[in-house]
Amino acid sequence: MAAGEQCIFVITGPSGVGKGTLIRALRQRIPKLALSVSATTRAPREGERDGVDYHFLSEAEFERRVQEGEFLEHVHYAGASYGTLRSELQQSIAKGRPIVLEIEVQGARLVRAALPEATLIFIAPPSLEELRRRLQARGTDSSEKVAQRLTLAEQELRAQSEFAHVVENDTLERALAELEAIVRASCSLLQGA
Ligand code: 5GP
């Protein structure tokens, strides 16, 4: 299969903007869409499962995989390492399935450089204030972590013009419809799916 036929989608944007929720809803509408399970060194949150939400790795194991060249991209973000394993993409290629990566902005830039054929989509919050509200409401991070993520978010929001598509996550239904339209229009593997 030619590389261009694989259909790789990168969903990026600040932490707390709703990337995960949008992707879950998108995959219900398009079951053929595979999800790249990232590796991370951060501790699992309550309810998160190893191999499903993330591959949870020790610092040493993460570093070993970096050295082995197993990552398509990897970054340090908010005190932990995160990375996309090449094997996740290879599995979806083998099955002829399009794949979606949920990653932060720095990693999205690295994927764009490595795989220019990938479709990059930036999810933007209606405002920084709304993002703060969502991060606090999620209740999974300490107030210190929320503050750290908001500082990062301000920088990340400035990057949105770099991306081919920007979807504002104002309401889930509207943002989902826009996202689905972009994904379907960008991928021949999804015609009729
Ligand atoms: P969280 O700790 O909230 O699960 O994730 C923090 C940030 O890391 C989120 O913006 C998430 O999208 C991003 N992220 C998750 N996996 C990866 C990855 O494999 N690579 C990169 N660059 N970012 C990731």
Side-chain angles (χ1 to χ4, degrees):
M1 185 186 292
E5 287 174 63
Q6 199 209 339
C7 305
I8 299 162
F9 296 97
V10 176
I11 310 284
T12 192
S15 174
V17 78
K19 302 189 291 288
T21 305
L22 275 168
I23 291 171
R24 260 193 307 280
L26 182 67
R27 292 184 66 228
Q28 278 174 3
R29 292 197 181 181
I30 312 178
K32 196 173 177 188
L33 203 55
L35 177 68
S36 166
V37 178
S38 293
T40 185
T41 61
R42 82 148 164 76
R45 295 189 183 124
E46 203 178 318
E48 284 184 334
R49 285 177 295 161
D50 187 35
V52 177
D53 299 288
Y54 278 105
H55 300 287
F56 292 101
L57 305 181
S58 66
E59 299 279 352
E61 176 64 8
F62 195 98
E63 188 49 36
R64 188 190 67 75
R65 294 189 186 210
V66 170
Q67 295 305 326
E68 296 290 323
E70 290 187 22
F71 288 107
L72 172 66
E73 61 78 35
H74 62 95
V75 300
H76 204 70
Y77 180 90
S81 297
Y82 294 86
T84 305
L85 292 161
R86 294 181 193 279
S87 55
E88 295 285 317
L89 274 77
Q90 283 155 359
Q91 280 169 26
S92 79
I93 293 177
K95 293 179 188 154
R97 293 176 69 179
I99 187 165
V100 57
L101 278 55
E102 185 216 315
I103 62 180
E104 52 68 69
V105 169
Q106 207 42 44
R109 292 188 178 117
L110 294 169
V111 174
R112 185 176 51 202
L115 303 171
E117 72 275 18
T119 302
L120 279 81
I121 305 165
F122 187 98
I123 311 294
S127 67
L128 206 56
E129 213 21 69
E130 175 61 16
L131 189 66
R132 179 196 313 277
R133 209 190 53 72
R134 289 183 194 176
L135 274 172
Q136 284 167 346
R138 190 162 75 172
T140 51
D141 294 296
S142 63
S143 55
E144 198 178 297
K145 282 271 176 218
V146 168
Q148 185 184 22
R149 283 173 185 239
L150 275 170
T151 305
L152 283 169
E154 280 182 67
Q155 294 163 16
E156 289 172 333
L157 286 177
R158 284 197 284 275
Q160 61 183 280
S161 58
E162 293 172 28
F163 295 95
H165 304 278
V166 178
V167 173
E168 185 180 318
N169 192 11
D170 42 10
T171 69
L172 178 64
E173 271 313 302
R174 199 211 59 78
L176 179 60
E178 189 179 347
L179 186 59
E180 184 181 3
I182 293 167
V183 166
R184 289 192 183 278
S186 312
C187 181
S188 58
L189 292 175
L190 291 174
Q191 301 315 313

